[in-house]
């Protein structure tokens, strides 16, 4: 199988597996005072320190939890309730559902006024509109790298605008950590979400980085772990594996970005040659190194994915799926694509295991998959 779906999840790195298994063999609750508990607590605190160091944060700013979805929920709902539970949320039209649906839930259930700032045809947030919506807002949120098309947002400028307006700002950096220079301390952000399984760590662990003065209310109550912001026994093995994966990513990031970008450029060029009317976005168009996205008029996402899968190439549409049917992408619609085009996308996402052979296989299968998907569409 040629796995080109790293934005969905990544193969586990050997260093992460090793750290995971070593810590999983320890018995002891990190909150227990006996020696066994203290041993596990030491694993957690070592991981916290290393996760913080890799991301430009102090250890005390690292709240360990179950992944990107939980981190986004804690940031949005936690900042909302922490700031009194009233007012306006400023977000963008292209956020991951973990952010967008949290914001919509707060609008529906809590009466939040929601401002969804639009993007241009490349997926970049309108900074002026974002800035104009900020004064008096309760919180603001914008993602760093878009998970569907790979668009990289001007996070530093957006965070500076939020800081100038005195508005706490969250950023979903789940897709950014692999290939962007992510420095939480320098970013000016109040909170930031990261997830281990997008960078070669295990599924089910992540972190919300939160400045010490972040006005966050907890969503989970219980034992008071993680600065009383996230009760529940801390997953020591997951944290150790996350730290191991993250350290490797940061150490190799520049080299890996160049390597993955070259593979992605070759893939994007090949797609344009094979399907001249496709709208292709890749690193050369200002997107993240690891995403090559194509809108293919007249071919449904499901048909292309299944035909590529049958040819041994694993890819996604990038947008949400309900009962096996790819939903119209809110991201592509915000970028100006028609509703039909927004169900005609294929996302190739590359990562640490991707080779020239994977790109060759994808390109060898693509023209036929597109032709057959288009023919199936015409028969419907
Ligand atoms: C941008 C973004 N945010 C949040 C998430 C959710 O992360 P997790 O799977 O760790 O809950 C994902 C993963 O799909 C993502 O790509």
């Amino acid at each position: 199988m040629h796995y080109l779906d790293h934005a969905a999840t990544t193969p586990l790195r050997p260093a992460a597996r090793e750290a995971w298994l070593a810590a999983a063999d320890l018995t002891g609750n990190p909150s227990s005072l006996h020696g066994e508990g203290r041993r596990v607590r030491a694993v957690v605190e070592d991981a916290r320190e290393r996760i913080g160091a890799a991301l430009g944060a102090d250890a005390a700013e690292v709240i360990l939890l179950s992944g990107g979805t939980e981190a986004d929920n804690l940031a949005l709902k936690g900042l909302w309730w922490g700031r009194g539970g009233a007012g306006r949320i400023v977000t963008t039209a292209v956020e991951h559902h973990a952010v967008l649906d949290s914001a919509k839930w707060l609008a529906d259930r809590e009466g939040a006024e929601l401002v969804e700032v639009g993007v241009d045809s490349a997926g970049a947030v309108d900074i002026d509109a974002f800035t104009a919506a900020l004064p008096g807002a309760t919180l603001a949120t914008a993602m760093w790298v878009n998970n569907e098309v790979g668009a990289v947002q001007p996070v530093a400028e957006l965070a500076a605008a939020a800081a100038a307006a005195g508005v706490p700002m969250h950023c979903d950096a789940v897709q950014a950590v692999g290939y962007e220079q992510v420095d939480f301390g320098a970013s000016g952000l109040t909170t930031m979400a990261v997830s281990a399984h997008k960078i070669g760590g295990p599924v089910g662990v992540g972190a919300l980085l939160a400045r010490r003065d972040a006005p966050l209310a907890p969503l989970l109550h219980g034992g008071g772990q993680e600065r009383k912001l996230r009760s529940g026994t801390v997953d020591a093995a997951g944290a150790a594996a996350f730290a191991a994966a993250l350290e490797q990513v940061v150490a190799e990031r520049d080299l890996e970005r160049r390597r993955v970008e070259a593979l992605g450029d070759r893939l994007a060029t090949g797609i344009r040659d094979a399907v001249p009317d496709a709208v292709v976005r890749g690193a050369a168009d200002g997107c993240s190194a690891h995403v090559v996205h194509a809108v293919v008029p007249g071919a449904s996402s499901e048909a292309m994915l299944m035909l590529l899968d049958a040819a041994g190439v694993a890819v996604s549409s990038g947008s949400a799926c309900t009962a096996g049917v790819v939903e119209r992408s809110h991201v592509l619609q915000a970028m100006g694509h028609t509703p039909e085009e927004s169900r005609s996308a294929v996302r190739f996402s590359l990562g640490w295991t991707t080779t020239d052979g994977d790109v060759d296989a994808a390109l060898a299968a693509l023209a036929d998959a597109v032709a057959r998907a288009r023919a199936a569409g015409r028969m419907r």
Side-chain angles (χ1 to χ4, degrees):
M1 198 69 192
H2 297 279
Y3 186 78
L4 289 171
D5 201 13
H6 284 250
T9 197
T10 49
L12 191 63
R13 290 173 186 268
R17 183 193 293 108
E18 223 169 89
W20 200 22
L21 292 176
D25 274 337
L26 301 176
T27 300
N29 187 314
S31 298
S32 295
L33 296 181
H34 48 65
E36 305 301 291
R38 290 200 309 274
R39 217 144 57 99
V40 178
R41 163 66 61 188
V43 170
V44 170
E45 295 315 321
D46 173 65
R48 190 191 309 286
E49 190 84 41
R50 290 160 58 204
I51 291 166
L55 296 170
D58 288 342
E61 294 175 319
V62 179
I63 299 166
L64 295 165
L65 36 64
S66 68
T69 301
E70 188 187 343
D72 285 333
N73 272 265
L74 175 55
L76 265 82
K77 296 169 189 169
L79 288 172
W80 170 259
W81 283 311
R83 296 205 76 210
R88 184 181 339 121
I89 297 173
V90 181
T91 185
T92 85
V94 295
E95 296 299 303
H96 187 274
H97 279 292
V99 167
L100 216 47
D101 292 5
S102 294
K104 284 184 176 154
W105 187 88
L106 288 169
D108 292 345
R109 301 284 287 262
E110 292 280 309
E113 179 201 342
L114 195 57
V115 178
E116 270 181 37
V117 177
V119 297
D120 64 16
S121 62
V125 174
D126 180 339
I127 298 179
D128 293 341
F130 193 90
T131 305
L134 287 170
T138 307
L139 67 113
T141 176
M143 72 200 316
W144 200 311
V145 169
N146 182 269
N147 49 298
E148 286 190 36
V149 299
V152 183
Q153 302 300 352
V155 172
E157 281 155 276
L158 299 174
V167 177
M169 167 121 178
H170 172 63
C171 176
D172 178 335
V174 167
Q175 294 288 346
V177 171
Y179 301 95
E180 301 296 314
Q181 300 293 336
V182 172
D183 184 332
F184 179 67
S187 69
L189 294 164
T190 308
T191 55
M192 188 175 93
V194 290
S195 177
H197 75 105
K198 308 290 185 175
I199 56 159
V203 175
V205 60
L208 182 70
L209 305 191
R211 284 170 48 141
R212 261 169 283 218
D213 60 358
L216 276 169
L219 305 187
L220 298 186
H221 300 89
Q225 291 90 343
E226 302 299 289
R227 287 167 46 190
K228 294 193 166 56
L229 287 171
R230 202 281 189 171
S231 284
T233 302
V234 177
D235 173 7
F242 186 15
L246 198 50
E247 278 181 342
Q248 194 171 8
V249 163
V250 170
E252 298 172 359
R253 189 153 49 198
D254 290 345
L255 265 178
E256 263 300 280
R257 184 176 38 229
R258 283 198 287 278
R259 190 186 73 83
V260 166
E261 203 170 299
L263 290 169
D265 284 348
R266 194 160 74 76
L267 181 57
T269 303
I271 298 171
R272 287 190 179 102
D273 289 346
V275 190
D277 61 339
V279 180
V280 182
R281 297 181 172 93
D285 311 287
C287 295
S288 174
H290 70 306
V291 179
V292 177
H293 185 273
V295 174
V296 182
S300 81
S301 297
E302 293 96 332
M304 288 189 287
L305 305 194
M306 278 186 279
L307 289 158
L308 286 168
D309 184 41
V313 180
V315 297
S316 281
S317 70
S319 57
C321 225
T322 309
V325 176
V326 175
E327 287 173 13
R328 288 197 168 89
S329 157
H330 66 286
V331 174
L332 292 177
Q333 292 191 80
M335 291 165 69
H337 284 283
T338 65
E340 205 42 46
E341 287 170 345
S342 304
R343 290 203 52 226
S344 304
V346 52
R347 177 191 69 188
F348 300 86
S349 52
L350 290 64
W352 71 274
T353 56
T354 307
T355 61
D356 270 312
D358 297 324
V359 172
D360 292 341
L363 290 175
L366 187 67
D368 183 54
V370 167
R372 288 168 66 188
R374 282 178 166 163
R378 281 194 293 275
M379 284 187 323
R380 267 195 284 134

